[in-house]
Amino acid sequence: MVSEMPRVTQTARWAAAQRARESQRVDRLFSDPLAAVLTGDEGFKALEISEKLNPRHEDTAAYMAIRVNFLDDFILRLVSEGIRQVVLLGAGMDARAFRLESPGDTTVYELDHAELLGVKEEILKKENARPVCHRVVLATELQSEWAECLMDAGYAAAQPAIWILEGLLYYLREEEVHSVLRQISELAASASGFGADVVSEAR
């Protein structure tokens, strides 16, 4: 059942379900071949339930499709300009390391909760999925020493990087947002790129 999944995993698989749905459209904005398997039955069930509860679910789907497409283009443009580090904070079930045509010497760092990444890696292993670039998976919490973990994994602070915080900031408390942005500022070299989405406070 959906309720048996940890909330962070449920959210990640729900987002993957949105990407899988968009990938099936004839007029799709992007294609994510791994989205459906990363979603699983639980993720599609979560999407089905959310659509019943959200009268504007079509707007939500459109927003997410545009967001993914925009960030895809953002990453590819900066990679084409020579940046070879991509950091995905709150990576969830993101499969950009497998589907975006990046140079082989690009390194994609995926940071998220250990339990979520454990589920993801098990699925990718069963699918025999192979990334198109160098992929580094880091199980860490944003409330812990994630920046130190990133540095220990080989991140080069002297080199520019592409930072992606997709569907993340609005799940954090305000002080956590400030902390994450401060640490990114300390780690990001000149000419780095930053891509994120935010929403206004609900009233």
Side-chain angles (χ1 to χ4, degrees):
M1 295 177 61
V2 173
S3 60
E4 294 174 348
M5 287 191 293
R7 183 171 181 270
V8 65
T9 304
Q10 179 178 335
T11 301
R13 301 192 91 166
W14 171 85
Q18 294 279 15
R19 293 193 294 274
R21 181 79 61 81
E22 176 66 20
S23 297
Q24 295 170 352
R25 293 171 58 98
V26 175
D27 58 346
R28 58 185 174 270
L29 294 179
F30 60 86
S31 177
D32 187 344
L34 289 172
V37 293
L38 289 169
T39 298
D41 293 339
E42 299 93 339
F44 284 117
K45 184 63 176 178
L47 178 59
E48 180 183 336
I49 292 173
S50 72
E51 289 180 338
K52 291 179 179 179
L53 298 175
N54 179 11
R56 299 184 60 184
H57 63 85
E58 292 183 355
D59 292 340
T60 299
Y63 163 75
M64 294 191 68
I66 292 170
R67 180 181 77 183
V68 171
N69 186 62
F70 176 86
L71 292 174
D72 281 357
D73 289 347
F74 178 68
I75 293 169
L76 290 172
R77 176 171 60 83
L78 293 184
V79 166
S80 73
E81 295 173 1
I83 296 181
R84 292 295 182 267
Q85 299 184 113
V86 181
V87 182
L88 306 177
L89 286 185
M93 295 296 178
D94 188 291
R96 287 188 170 98
F98 299 86
R99 65 182 182 82
L100 293 187
E101 295 184 5
S102 306
D105 60 344
T106 303
T107 299
V108 175
Y109 296 94
E110 298 184 13
L111 287 74
D112 216 313
H113 298 273
E115 187 170 1
L116 187 157
L117 291 177
V119 173
K120 181 177 182 179
E121 293 310 294
E122 183 177 346
I123 295 171
L124 292 172
K125 184 177 181 179
K126 289 180 179 178
E127 293 296 313
N128 197 30
R130 295 288 182 268
V132 298
C133 57
H134 183 49
R135 176 173 175 262
V136 179
V137 179
L138 300 173
T140 185
E141 306 284 336
L142 291 182
Q143 295 80 8
S144 65
E145 301 298 326
W146 66 267
E148 181 178 340
C149 180
L150 182 62
M151 292 292 293
D152 289 344
Y155 173 83
Q159 300 298 322
I162 306 165
W163 293 82
I164 302 296
L165 283 66
E166 182 178 9
L168 173 65
L169 292 176
Y170 41 79
Y171 288 109
L172 304 179
R173 297 190 298 272
E174 184 174 351
E175 59 270 23
E176 292 174 332
V177 172
H178 288 298
S179 176
V180 168
L181 295 181
R182 182 172 58 253
Q183 291 179 83
I184 291 176
S185 180
E186 293 171 353
L187 290 172
S190 177
S192 291
F194 178 84
D197 61 315
V198 296
V199 296
S200 59
E201 183 178 359
R203 296 293 185 182

